[in-house]
Amino acid sequence: MAALPVLALLLLLAAWGGPGAAGQKRKEMVLSEKVNQLMEWASKRSVIRMNGDKFRRLVKAPPRNYSVIVMFTALQPHRQCVVCKQADEEYQILANSWRYSSAFTNKIFFAMVDFDEGSDVFQMLNMNSAPTFINFPAKGKPKRGDTYELQVRGFAAEQLARWVADRTDVNIRVIRPPNYAGPLMLGLLLAVIGGLVYLRGSNLDFLYNKTGWAFAALCFVLAMTSGQMWNHIRGPPYAHKNPHTGQVNYIHGSSQAQFVAETHIVLLFNGGVTLGMVLLHEAATSDMDVGKRKILCIAGIGLVVLFFSWLLSIFRSKYHGYPYSFLMS
């Protein structure tokens, strides 16, 4: 008789815990199906293309024990998003490096939502620019740091890998496809130099041409002062185009970043100022008649004033609050 209350208590506990256990089992089955589906797609394509339904079911909806890095982009030709194509190439390199590495697991997946295939996702997330990278963590909603600062860090695969490691603790070693452009260009340069030395072996005065060496040094200095090394390290986009308004920005609005087009513009302006200074020097030191020297002087002053004004206007646009301007704001 004493065993009856214990038996009744056990039956009561089993009945109370039954729905919860069933719910947990159903949750695990749903999670297993989602992971298996993602693994199947990842085995065929490193970057999983998603529309609105796939995004809501596999990324937004619980349960989820995996992180998903999603690139929101606009790759269709009529969108004319050059930056999107460049970012997509780097993103594919990153995803392939992860997919074919020995450390590949189902802990993280790489996905893509194109505007023309999932415009409802863009509206749901109040997103009005592309490309944009967001990490959807295994637990909870994305935080501020889960949105990649593209305009600050650029879209190079190595920079994306560092951000992924910071957000997910997954370290990806980026492996790029072999690029033979560098060795070929070096070989071509050596061949040209060797050919010149062979053809002009009896007259090597061109190697001592001060003007040629000065021009080469000037080109190198202009390239470095315009920010080419920063571009090489950070890999910024060439420009930024808003997929909705179509507006293209060639000058970055922050002093902490820049576009590739911006460095080309600055290089051109620096070159204009330099040319003006050279003309002024020639006007002061050459043996030409007075009339030609005056023309050189006026042209040099015009170039210096014009291009320096444009340089200063770019500086003002990046360093907001700078009080000084010259000829133009």
Side-chain angles (χ1 to χ4, degrees):
M1 295 296 294
L4 289 177
V6 176
L7 181 61
L9 180 60
L10 293 175
L11 291 174
L12 181 62
L13 290 174
W16 179 77
Q24 181 65 25
K25 186 175 181 180
R26 185 164 53 251
K27 182 178 179 180
E28 292 176 356
M29 290 180 61
V30 171
L31 179 59
S32 177
E33 291 176 359
K34 293 169 70 173
V35 172
N36 291 336
Q37 181 69 83
L38 288 170
M39 288 292 289
E40 179 182 353
W41 287 339
S43 65
K44 300 176 181 177
R45 179 179 291 179
S46 300
V47 177
I48 303 170
R49 298 185 70 97
M50 291 187 174
N51 55 23
D53 293 335
K54 292 179 180 178
F55 178 81
R56 283 186 287 271
R57 179 168 59 90
L58 298 170
V59 179
K60 291 288 290 183
R64 191 175 72 248
N65 64 352
Y66 50 84
S67 297
V68 184
I69 307 297
V70 183
M71 180 177 75
F72 298 91
T73 186
L75 292 174
Q76 297 302 317
H78 66 277
R79 298 295 174 186
Q80 298 181 354
C81 183
V82 178
V83 181
C84 294
K85 296 178 181 179
Q86 296 172 345
D88 177 61
E89 293 175 359
E90 294 295 313
Y91 190 59
Q92 295 287 345
I93 291 174
L94 175 65
N96 287 329
S97 299
W98 169 242
R99 174 62 187 85
Y100 297 106
S101 71
S102 58
F104 175 75
T105 64
N106 57 12
K107 185 177 180 180
I108 182 174
F109 296 96
F110 291 88
M112 172 196 302
V113 177
D114 192 278
F115 180 79
D116 291 278
E117 299 174 2
S119 58
D120 53 335
V121 179
F122 279 72
Q123 295 175 1
M124 177 176 60
L125 299 177
N126 295 321
M127 194 174 301
N128 56 11
S129 64
T132 300
F133 299 91
I134 299 180
N135 168 50
F136 292 86
K139 295 182 180 179
K141 298 180 179 180
K143 300 176 182 177
R144 183 176 181 180
D146 288 312
T147 300
Y148 182 72
E149 296 176 328
L150 179 66
Q151 296 183 347
V152 175
R153 307 177 68 170
F155 50 71
E158 290 78 7
Q159 293 290 340
L160 287 168
R162 295 188 187 97
W163 171 69
V164 169
D166 179 59
R167 305 312 302 175
T168 65
D169 293 330
V170 174
N171 293 297
I172 301 175
R173 181 190 175 193
V174 175
I175 301 177
R176 292 183 174 275
N179 185 358
Y180 302 104
L184 286 176
M185 291 300 296
L186 179 60
L188 179 61
L189 178 62
L190 293 176
V192 170
I193 295 175
L196 289 174
V197 172
Y198 176 78
L199 294 175
R200 303 188 61 178
S202 59
N203 184 9
L204 299 178
D205 292 341
F206 69 95
L207 293 177
Y208 304 97
N209 190 312
K210 295 181 179 179
T211 303
W213 285 109
F215 180 76
L218 180 60
C219 292
F220 179 79
V221 170
L222 289 176
M224 293 298 103
T225 55
S226 67
Q228 294 298 327
M229 185 56 69
W230 194 94
N231 292 340
H232 179 74
I233 296 173
R234 295 295 186 90
Y238 186 82
H240 179 263
K241 181 177 181 180
N242 191 311
H244 300 286
T245 64
Q247 181 181 2
V248 180
N249 294 321
Y250 298 102
I251 305 296
H252 199 286
S254 171
S255 61
Q256 303 298 318
Q258 65 185 19
F259 297 132
V260 175
E262 179 180 332
T263 63
H264 295 166
I265 294 171
V266 171
L267 187 151
L268 175 63
F269 290 174
N270 282 333
V273 173
T274 303
L275 179 59
M277 298 298 294
V278 171
L279 292 180
L280 288 173
H281 178 269
E282 287 296 317
T285 60
S286 68
D287 297 330
M288 292 185 293
D289 58 78
V290 177
K292 292 182 179 179
R293 293 170 65 181
K294 286 183 178 180
I295 294 175
L296 288 180
C297 183
I298 294 173
I301 292 175
L303 287 173
V304 171
V305 169
L306 180 62
F307 284 104
F308 179 75
S309 300
W310 281 337
L311 277 173
L312 196 58
S313 67
I314 293 177
F315 187 85
R316 281 170 53 86
S317 69
K318 296 181 69 67
Y319 291 84
H320 305 286
Y322 186 76
Y324 305 108
S325 62
F326 186 61
L327 292 186
M328 59 190 72
S329 58

